[in-house]
Amino acid sequence: MTPRTRLAPSPTGEPHIGNMYVALFNWAFARQTGGQFLIRIEDTDRSRFVEGAEAMILEALQWLGLDYDEGPDRGGPVGPYRQSQRLEIYREHADRLLAAGHAYRCFCTAERLKELRQRPPQAGQAAGYDRLCRALDPAESARRAAAGEPHTVRLAVPLEGETRFADGLRGEITIANAMVDDQVLIKSDGFPTYHMAVVVDDRLMGVTHVIRAEEWITSTPKHVLLYQALGWELPQFYHVSLIRNPDRSKLSKRKNPTNVLWYRREGFLPEAVVNYLGMLGHSMPDQREIFTLAEFREAFSWQRVNTTGPVFDMDKFEWLNGEWIRRMPVEDLAARLRSEGFMPAGLPDAYVPGAVKLMQPRLKRLKEFADGVAFFVSRLPYEPALLIPDKKGKPLHTAAETCDALARMRAALAALPGWTAAALEPGMRSLAADLGWKHAELYTTLRVAITCRRISTPLFETMEILGREECLARVDGAIEKAQALA
Ligand code: GLU
């Protein structure tokens, strides 16, 4: 029997990076073992349903390269893959449980349940429902239901004994049944609860390995009881540690952005995202930090999964993204900037390869590209005073001297035999010596003239890319500005 794993996201908002982390484990295990990975949308909580959330989750998975075999948009043999389209199935199973005495109808009002919740729990007893309706005569219960009285269906948890299951990461877990509440399986609106739907679907969809976040571990005994009540064999459970904020609380958007599509919009590469998530959750046999999704799939092993709640570190994530940016061939990086919408529309094609090459070592996020190359796109406005080199804000030369220096630069640039960075550098250096300027001072003036900024990509390489004509025009513009100062 080949493994079948699943991601069961609730469409309640933006696709959370923690969900993608769980998806990565499910994907890697299924792909490594020749199994299948499926997506099931858990949309039974209508109060939390967000229109468009499902599409964003699927987009995020696709962007990361976590392909799936079955799902709401691709169908499959055990669909539908949205729980809201499976209500009849849950009701049938609830009826089966009712008939077998494993479940009962509860007619308690919301007010009564609220009051129960406020009562202090008794020692050795599950907090929650006091099982009042469990004592109802089944015939009476059926009659009230038939008369249309609102009710839920609850699991009749055994009053004695204990429930055990083995977690693939955490070993055997045992809980006394007395501590388990008679949980609701079907709500009064006819929708199943998460507990009911997850068990029925995992079983009917042939899920063999339930791999999910550790926050669900306390629900698992309830699920195990349900499997048993339905006469079903248990799947293998794995509860992976949650990613945490530096203060060890669950990763939340108050501390770090958690929407995986936000990372896309900032210019994180999907290669870096899956690498970072893989690095957080798992260590490679050779301790390598940088690896591809395919390498992760090959190396993935439950033995090397981190069970201690990895801490999310934005600096590390950015560093890794920068590493991935630097590993790409320049043409691929240019294509990626284009396909992800980070290539400024006005950047002339002739500048693209050079500009990408110069920016590549400097980028942590693709989003930074546009700002870094803005002066390639157009001559940007700047303060004329920037042309005058200074030390801690004190000008080192007058406006007239700067004007003269710029005119000499223009002449030298116009006369330079070759237009390469290698030729430009010594040409400008010797001019600085002739003028009695430190070369760094002259480069400052020239840098502002060319790039309109004090900080930019390397000056002479930049000039080579812009070409002689454009550079001379920019120096002319600078001379005019300096004249106005003098
Ligand atoms: N719908 C749950 C979630 O959003 C699924 C939990 C599970 O995998 O069982 O995380």
Side-chain angles (χ1 to χ4, degrees):
M1 187 174 60
T2 58
R4 277 169 70 80
T5 67
R6 56 36 166 206
L7 184 73
S10 301
T12 54
E14 297 164 331
H16 197 283
I17 194 133
N19 263 138
M20 297 300 127
Y21 175 75
V22 170
L24 177 64
F25 289 99
N26 276 282
W27 178 91
F29 182 66
R31 293 288 171 257
Q32 185 188 63
T33 53
Q36 293 106 37
F37 172 46
L38 55 105
I39 307 296
R40 178 178 69 237
I41 301 296
E42 302 210 323
D43 57 350
T44 58
D45 186 347
R46 302 315 280 178
S47 64
R48 294 179 63 219
F49 180 81
V50 171
E51 196 64 52
E54 175 187 314
M56 286 195 287
I57 292 163
L58 300 180
E59 178 194 341
L61 288 165
Q62 196 211 354
W63 178 60
L64 295 177
L66 302 176
D67 60 316
Y68 45 92
D69 305 288
E70 300 162 33
D73 58 336
R74 350 185 9 157
V78 294
Y81 292 86
R82 284 185 200 96
Q83 290 185 328
S84 59
Q85 296 165 340
R86 302 170 62 81
L87 300 182
E88 208 41 55
I89 300 174
Y90 310 124
R91 247 172 258 142
E92 279 164 25
H93 285 84
D95 286 345
R96 250 177 77 182
L97 290 167
L98 282 168
H102 288 304
Y104 60 93
R105 294 185 195 85
C106 173
F107 297 92
C108 290
T109 60
E111 295 75 62
R112 176 162 199 279
L113 296 174
K114 187 171 169 215
E115 192 205 292
L116 277 181
R117 273 195 298 275
Q118 282 159 354
R119 265 188 223 166
Q122 284 169 289
Q125 287 273 305
Y129 186 54
D130 63 356
R131 299 180 163 139
L132 179 69
C133 292
R134 192 159 164 170
L136 279 179
D137 172 55
E140 159 82 357
S141 153
R143 191 193 54 72
R144 285 169 71 175
E149 193 173 334
H151 62 275
T152 60
V153 176
R154 289 182 183 271
L155 183 69
V157 171
L159 301 174
E160 279 159 15
E162 42 187 37
T163 294
R164 324 169 171 264
F165 66 95
D167 182 284
L169 287 169
R170 291 153 205 276
E172 181 140 299
I173 294 175
T174 307
I175 180 163
N177 290 336
M179 298 307 292
V180 183
D181 191 19
D182 277 2
Q183 69 211 272
V184 174
L185 303 177
I186 304 284
K187 296 179 270 187
S188 54
D189 62 3
F191 276 71
T193 56
Y194 157 68
H195 304 301
M196 177 69 178
V198 79
V199 167
V200 169
D201 286 345
D202 282 341
R203 171 68 185 197
L204 298 190
M205 293 182 172
V207 171
T208 57
H209 294 72
V210 171
I211 302 164
R212 62 183 165 203
E214 70 182 327
E215 62 192 313
W216 301 107
I217 201 160
T218 52
S219 299
T220 308
K222 303 178 186 179
H223 302 174
V224 170
L225 285 165
L226 253 176
Y227 276 98
Q228 288 167 350
L230 287 160
W232 292 340
E233 230 177 86
L234 296 183
Q236 177 65 56
F237 293 102
Y238 295 86
H239 290 91
V240 299
S241 300
L242 295 175
I243 308 176
R244 301 192 177 270
N245 292 311
D247 65 5
R248 304 208 63 79
S249 58
K250 176 181 166 184
L251 187 68
S252 64
K253 61 180 164 199
R254 264 171 291 121
K255 308 268 164 64
N256 281 296
T258 54
N259 176 359
V260 69
L261 297 177
W262 179 86
Y263 290 90
R264 181 179 198 176
R265 291 196 293 273
E266 283 297 305
F268 282 78
L269 299 177
E271 292 91 332
V273 177
V274 292
N275 187 165
Y276 187 57
L277 295 178
M279 177 201 282
L280 281 178
H282 180 270
S283 55
M284 294 296 265
D286 58 2
Q287 303 302 317
R288 190 158 27 126
E289 288 199 306
I290 300 182
F291 46 83
T292 64
L293 187 56
E295 287 163 349
F296 181 74
R297 178 193 63 211
E298 291 308 308
F300 177 78
S301 150
W302 290 112
Q303 266 85 51
R304 281 191 291 275
V305 169
N306 180 352
T307 53
T308 57
V311 173
F312 185 88
D313 176 347
M314 186 61 106
D315 292 337
K316 180 98 189 189
F317 196 1
E318 283 196 309
W319 164 80
L320 190 64
N321 198 48
E323 290 296 308
W324 275 98
I325 289 173
R326 281 180 267 303
R327 282 171 171 237
M328 294 179 96
V330 172
E331 316 77 73
D332 292 4
L333 179 53
R336 192 70 73 93
L337 285 160
R338 255 196 205 101
S339 65
E340 291 289 300
F342 294 107
M343 186 65 83
L347 186 65
D349 283 347
Y351 296 162
V352 167
V356 171
K357 183 158 172 264
L358 291 190
M359 286 301 292
Q360 188 175 31
R362 293 170 173 71
L363 293 175
K364 285 199 274 194
R365 305 179 184 189
L366 297 181
K367 196 185 183 182
E368 296 153 356
F369 182 76
D371 184 58
V373 301
F375 67 85
F376 277 105
V377 176
S378 63
R379 299 173 195 170
L380 305 172
Y382 60 89
E383 274 307 313
L386 282 180
L387 289 162
I388 302 176
D390 61 10
K391 195 169 181 181
K392 294 195 181 128
K394 275 188 41 202
L396 296 166
H397 302 285
T398 65
E401 284 163 355
T402 304
C403 219
D404 176 54
L406 278 163
R408 301 271 302 266
M409 283 184 239
R410 193 202 190 282
L413 292 171
L416 206 70
W419 193 263
T420 61
L424 283 157
E425 227 258 274
M428 291 298 101
R429 197 178 269 270
S430 68
L431 175 61
D434 291 352
L435 284 166
W437 283 34
K438 291 210 177 92
H439 66 266
E441 294 164 17
L442 186 125
Y443 293 176
T444 295
T445 303
L446 185 57
R447 184 186 302 277
V448 173
I450 300 295
T451 72
C452 321
R453 290 179 182 173
R454 281 279 174 93
I455 296 169
S456 74
T457 46
L459 178 59
F460 299 112
E461 272 119 313
T462 300
M463 291 175 73
E464 180 178 327
I465 295 163
L466 282 169
R468 189 185 321 245
E469 203 185 320
E470 177 63 19
C471 287
L472 292 179
R474 291 187 181 206
V475 174
D476 286 339
I479 292 172
E480 264 176 51
K481 285 184 193 269
Q483 273 165 350
L485 284 179

